[in-house]
Amino acid sequence: MNVLVINTGSSSLKYQLFDMDSQTVLAGGVVERIGETQGVLTHKKFSRGKEDKTKKTQPIQNHQEAMLLMAGLITQKIDAIGHRVVQGGEDFKAATRINGEVKKAIQANNPLAPLHNPPNLIGIQLAEDLFPGKPQVAVFDTNFHQTIPEKAFLYALPYEYYTDYKIRRYGFHGTSHKYVANKTCELMGKKSTEVNLITLHLGNGCSICAIKKGKCQDTSMGMTPLAGVMMGTRTGDLDPAIFGYLMDNTGMTQKELDEVLNKKSGLKGICGLNDLRDIHEKSAKGDRLAGLAVEMFAYQIKKYIGAYAAVLGHVDGLVFTAGVGENDGVVRAKALADMSVFGIEIDPVKNKARSQEPHTIHGTNSQIQVWVVPTNEELQIATETCQVLENSN
Ligand code: AMP
């Protein structure tokens, strides 16, 4: 079965076509700057180990034009479509075949993800128009976290804010956490129900997850993807009293404050840069704030690992993934330094070695395995799409 995975953003469209029998990518690409003066499409077709790349720069006025461009370049057959949807709220505990009711329920969750769910829905509608009769499945970023118990997902606000306004921890990056957790279990030769893991998705956005016997128990992101550890440009956890204090003292509007919290904070807020490759370079030249940004980031990751070790009671493995998690040995080493009390020791040589393949970085005396596992959210979406369709037949 060939599954097309679609991830529609407010001004972008990412897609990948998988042959699920051979688990290979047949084609994939991205359309960026939709609605701007010049849009950019990059498409790749793969066959027999060869890559055929097409790049087009032209005005792409809307998602419909982007989708038509994509469809024109995909020459292979498409059997089913899997959509990434960011926020499923409490309505969706698992990936779901799309119908009218499902679209309405996704729309009802728009207020919880106003930047993400509306373009996701546009993608679903356009794909239905373009590929009539093809089954479509929604895979939600929030699905994996729906097993988090009430004591961990509730905020200590008046309870009716949860019932009336749906304010609670939802968590994000669920597809990635699920993929790397399953992959790690497979590599450990264990069933997911046999192990406890802490998975660390550290990219431009960062989230950490405590997983007990295959079920998510807690995660660092909250009602929105702003919470948790500090990120490239996002604050992570803050004292909530800071918001009012800042607005009173700077005259910032709520919209301006939102912009600061999401786009001007995190690593960037501390040292002016958000890409860790640039930050390490600046730090090596003696820039104090670049060094401080790395120290803060690693410290916050360490605190979450400690907290989640306590939540899980027993930890079998830590799993690092995404841009920073997969590539940045410095951050990994700092976050895991002096954690022998938890049974965590890394091997500095293994930690420095670069590999695109999943590998371990723990030392021989470590009681906890430490893995670096490249994430593949698209493959996870394609896999879940197949599972939903198999179960609905
Ligand atoms: P992602 O959101 O998963 O694409 O991750 C993007 C981030 O990963 C970048 O902003 C960098 O901070 C980080 N990153 C990517 N490659 C490297 C690398 N080779 N070394 C350190 N950090 C990296």
Side-chain angles (χ1 to χ4, degrees):
M1 180 180 346
N2 288 358
V3 179
L4 177 65
V5 173
I6 291 182
N7 180 359
T8 322
S10 55
S11 62
S12 67
L13 167 69
K14 287 188 202 152
Y15 57 92
Q16 253 181 4
L17 180 66
F18 290 88
D19 172 349
M20 294 307 287
D21 300 327
S22 62
Q23 300 261 308
T24 51
V25 181
L26 301 173
V30 55
V31 189
E32 292 164 294
R33 303 187 183 198
I34 299 170
E36 295 181 25
T37 343
Q38 289 293 332
V40 185
L41 173 139
T42 314
H43 177 86
K44 287 181 187 169
K45 183 180 173 184
F46 305 96
S47 85
R48 294 190 197 96
K50 274 195 187 160
E51 179 185 310
D52 183 9
K53 185 172 165 183
T54 312
K55 189 162 181 176
K56 291 185 182 181
T57 305
Q58 64 185 74
I60 302 167
Q61 294 193 17
N62 49 38
H63 286 86
Q64 188 177 17
E65 286 188 18
M67 198 73 93
L68 279 169
L69 273 172
M70 173 196 80
L73 286 164
I74 295 178
T75 50
Q76 302 94 332
K77 76 178 168 82
I78 296 167
D79 299 307
I81 299 154
H83 292 268
R84 176 193 182 208
V85 181
V86 167
Q87 179 56 273
E90 293 186 337
D91 298 315
F92 298 99
K93 309 278 181 213
T96 306
R97 185 157 178 175
I98 296 170
N99 58 26
E101 291 299 306
V102 168
K103 283 190 282 181
K104 271 191 210 146
I106 295 174
Q107 191 169 19
N109 282 298
N110 280 1
L112 291 172
L115 299 180
H116 294 96
N117 271 27
N120 295 161
L121 265 172
I122 289 173
I124 290 170
Q125 194 55 56
L126 288 171
E128 281 182 349
D129 297 344
L130 206 54
F131 309 107
K134 301 288 178 201
Q136 310 219 29
V137 171
V139 181
F140 299 86
D141 276 22
T142 46
N143 280 163
F144 186 58
H145 306 299
Q146 280 294 302
T147 50
I148 296 177
E150 199 174 25
K151 68 179 177 191
F153 75 61
L154 274 182
Y155 293 115
L157 285 164
Y159 187 76
E160 59 271 22
Y161 292 178
Y162 165 55
T163 48
D164 294 352
Y165 300 104
K166 301 181 176 177
I167 294 176
R168 55 158 284 178
R169 179 187 309 281
Y170 290 100
F172 298 89
H173 293 144
T175 314
S176 175
H177 287 289
K178 189 171 177 179
Y179 176 82
V180 296
N182 286 343
K183 188 85 197 166
T184 306
C185 291
E186 191 186 309
L187 294 161
M188 285 175 156
K190 302 260 185 191
K191 290 191 190 127
S192 65
T193 48
E194 292 171 340
V195 288
N196 293 350
L197 299 173
I198 298 174
T199 48
L200 302 101
H201 178 110
L202 307 175
N204 237 327
C206 300
S207 65
I208 303 179
C209 212
I211 306 170
K212 191 170 206 160
K213 299 187 187 305
K215 290 198 171 151
C216 179
Q217 299 299 307
D218 204 348
T219 191
S220 59
M221 280 181 168
M223 175 169 138
T224 75
L226 189 52
V229 281
M230 64 192 284
M231 312 177 205
T233 63
R234 287 175 244 169
T235 56
D237 296 334
L238 285 183
D239 177 343
I242 293 172
F243 310 135
Y245 181 85
L246 257 180
M247 283 165 83
D248 284 349
N249 283 279
T250 63
M252 257 190 272
T253 61
Q254 195 219 315
K255 203 166 168 237
E256 286 164 342
L257 182 58
D258 247 28
E259 174 95 1
V260 171
L261 303 177
N262 278 290
K263 304 212 169 123
K264 298 182 180 169
S265 299
L267 296 165
K268 188 172 191 177
I270 299 299
C271 71
L273 297 168
N274 63 287
D275 191 307
L276 272 152
R277 287 164 289 195
D278 302 332
I279 296 172
H280 289 312
E281 203 179 311
K282 205 169 168 192
S283 173
K285 289 182 185 149
D287 188 275
R288 188 185 87 81
L289 292 181
L292 177 62
V294 176
E295 293 297 333
M296 285 173 67
F297 185 48
Y299 177 71
Q300 295 189 13
I301 296 167
K302 180 190 284 277
K303 283 212 294 189
Y304 265 102
I305 294 172
Y308 286 172
V311 165
L312 293 172
H314 167 84
V315 183
D316 297 288
L318 302 182
V319 189
F320 285 87
T321 194
V324 182
E326 290 167 30
N327 297 299
D328 197 324
V330 175
V331 167
R332 289 194 302 251
K334 283 185 187 292
L336 300 183
D338 304 321
M339 290 190 88
S340 48
V341 66
F342 290 97
I344 302 170
E345 271 175 35
I346 60 166
D347 178 324
V349 177
K350 285 188 185 167
N351 184 43
K352 266 197 193 135
R354 302 295 293 268
S355 168
Q356 302 298 317
E357 296 300 318
H359 57 282
T360 58
I361 58 167
H362 53 268
T364 42
N365 292 326
S366 191
Q367 286 158 37
I368 296 180
Q369 298 188 17
V370 185
W371 285 84
V372 176
V373 178
T375 192
N376 194 338
E377 290 166 277
E378 292 77 17
L379 178 57
Q380 181 66 29
I381 293 172
T383 305
E384 291 189 36
T385 300
C386 286
Q387 286 164 354
V388 167
L389 296 178
E390 273 161 23
N391 292 339
S392 67
N393 279 337

